[in-house]
Amino acid sequence: MGTPLKDRNRAEFKRYKEDVESEGKSFFPYAILHDSVMSLVVVAVIIALACIWYFTADGTEAGLLGP
Amino acid sequence: MEAVALYPLDWVEERSGLVGYTKWFLFRKVPHDISWAQTLGAAALTAFLSQAITGVVLAMYYKPDPNAAYGSVVNITEELTLGWLVRGMHKWGASVFIILLFFHMARTFLFGAYKYPRELNWVIGVLLLVSGMLEGFTGYLLPWDQTAYWATAVGINLNATAPFLGPFLAQFLQGGLYIGPDTLAKFYALHMLLIPGAIFALIGLHLYLVVRLGVTSPPWSATAAGRERVDGGGREGLIRDPAVQEEPS
């Protein structure tokens, strides 16, 4: 008989928790460094879009990004 | 000297336990094979926080009145110091937020991170996407120009075509026979208070579940956390069909 899906899921999640505890790495500084870099990129992209939108418009005509 | 420097932290810790919780949060373990794809949630959160901050600044100068709304937006853009930047960031940040939500959802789907025991977090993510889109819809009317007016008219009419609840929803959103002062006030209240409040609450719940249940390993990782080990300590193949039953022992 195969293992019922529910039991298999529970066993897999238990294994996941054990693997992360034994082989995982600390959230700080490894993962948070990636998150911080990505966040800076997002803010930079938003600022860049705002600048392109504003500086390519001339007051009467829409700029590159539209009105 | 060290005792003096640590006194505020000790004071807070003794009364709230927050310092210990923060330490646990920062130094908790995550799978060793997480990649840049798992930063999309943080990216979407950053975009939302940017929207919240720029939105608060805009709300200080915006006037939700049909006779003054457009003028106040022009004033913010043209007269206010760096007002163009704040408005531009809010306008384009909204699109970036929605795009990042879609990317984040696509990553979650492709990694199978919506499966047991993370189903509830997937549902919360879907609610966040719907709330984000509602935030975009209600915010679009606020500049009160021709584009905003007619786009909102189209949006409300589309809602009205939905079966059963559609006409009531359209009437609720419009707040009268035509799009006017009541509509603007209603959209402003929804955009400023109700929907952001709901998004903050949903993000809090979402993050709680992410921390509680953990981050999934990439499906292509040969040493993904949770994958069954075979003899010798390695992991079994990448694809495992749950429909395939094991032989009776």
Side-chain angles (χ1 to χ4, degrees):
Chain A
M1 284 293 289
T3 320
L5 190 59
K6 198 189 282 184
D7 291 344
R8 189 185 293 206
N9 283 338
R10 284 180 181 150
E12 190 170 334
F13 186 61
K14 187 169 174 283
R15 223 171 23 244
Y16 164 84
K17 284 286 187 186
E18 289 164 359
D19 289 348
V20 169
E21 203 50 48
S22 60
E23 301 169 358
K25 56 188 179 185
S26 173
F27 176 70
F28 179 88
Y30 304 105
I32 207 170
L33 178 70
H34 286 82
D35 284 347
S36 304
V37 171
M38 190 61 151
S39 298
L40 285 175
V41 170
V42 168
V43 173
V45 167
I46 293 173
I47 291 174
L49 286 168
C51 290
I52 294 168
W53 165 72
Y54 184 71
F55 288 115
T56 57
D58 66 359
T60 51
E61 289 293 315
L64 278 176
L65 298 177
Chain B
M1 189 65 187
E2 193 183 336
V4 174
L6 290 177
Y7 178 75
L9 286 179
D10 289 339
W11 192 92
V12 171
E13 172 64 7
E14 198 175 342
R15 283 155 184 83
S16 66
L18 274 175
V19 177
Y21 179 76
T22 307
K23 275 185 189 168
W24 173 84
F25 175 81
L26 287 175
F27 296 102
R28 75 188 199 278
K29 294 284 185 68
V30 293
H32 68 95
D33 48 7
I34 56 169
S35 65
W36 285 97
Q38 273 105 332
T39 61
L40 286 165
L45 176 64
T46 304
F48 176 70
L49 291 177
S50 165
Q51 289 302 97
I53 294 165
T54 53
V56 168
V57 176
L58 289 175
M60 291 175 184
Y61 299 95
Y62 176 74
K63 296 179 177 67
D65 169 52
N67 296 319
Y70 180 73
S72 69
V73 171
V74 171
N75 179 57
I76 289 167
T77 314
E78 303 298 337
E79 304 295 332
L80 206 66
T81 306
L82 291 179
W84 63 269
L85 181 62
V86 176
R87 188 185 162 216
M89 284 181 73
H90 198 73
K91 180 183 169 78
W92 293 103
S95 301
V96 170
F97 177 54
I98 297 291
I99 290 168
L100 285 172
L101 283 182
F102 272 108
F103 280 150
H104 181 48
M105 286 187 85
R107 198 282 301 170
T108 306
F109 181 75
L110 292 173
F111 278 32
Y114 58 89
K115 294 177 186 172
Y116 177 90
R118 301 181 180 86
E119 302 96 324
L120 182 61
N121 222 13
W122 171 264
V123 172
I124 293 170
V126 171
L127 290 176
L128 275 167
L129 177 68
V130 172
S131 304
M133 292 172 94
L134 275 174
E135 191 74 327
F137 178 62
T138 51
Y140 207 80
L141 179 68
L142 302 187
W144 202 248
D145 54 13
Q146 288 290 323
T147 313
Y149 185 93
W150 292 110
T152 304
V154 170
I156 289 175
N157 287 336
L158 275 174
N159 276 302
T161 59
F164 307 116
L165 286 178
F168 298 103
L169 184 62
Q171 197 176 16
F172 167 75
L173 286 172
Q174 197 154 294
L177 290 175
Y178 60 95
I179 296 174
D182 291 345
T183 322
L184 187 60
K186 191 169 279 185
F187 272 49
Y188 185 62
L190 290 171
H191 187 77
M192 271 291 295
L193 297 168
L194 185 70
I195 305 172
I199 291 179
F200 267 115
L202 288 169
I203 286 177
L205 204 52
H206 197 67
L207 289 179
Y208 165 74
L209 288 175
V210 167
V211 172
R212 181 182 161 83
L213 301 172
V215 183
T216 45
S217 287
W220 59 80
S221 171
T223 54
R227 185 161 291 146
E228 269 183 80
R229 290 173 187 272
V230 291
D231 291 341
R235 314 278 175 155
E236 69 171 8
L238 290 180
I239 300 167
R240 191 189 63 194
D241 186 353
V244 176
Q245 303 287 301
E246 286 117 17
E247 290 297 317
S249 53

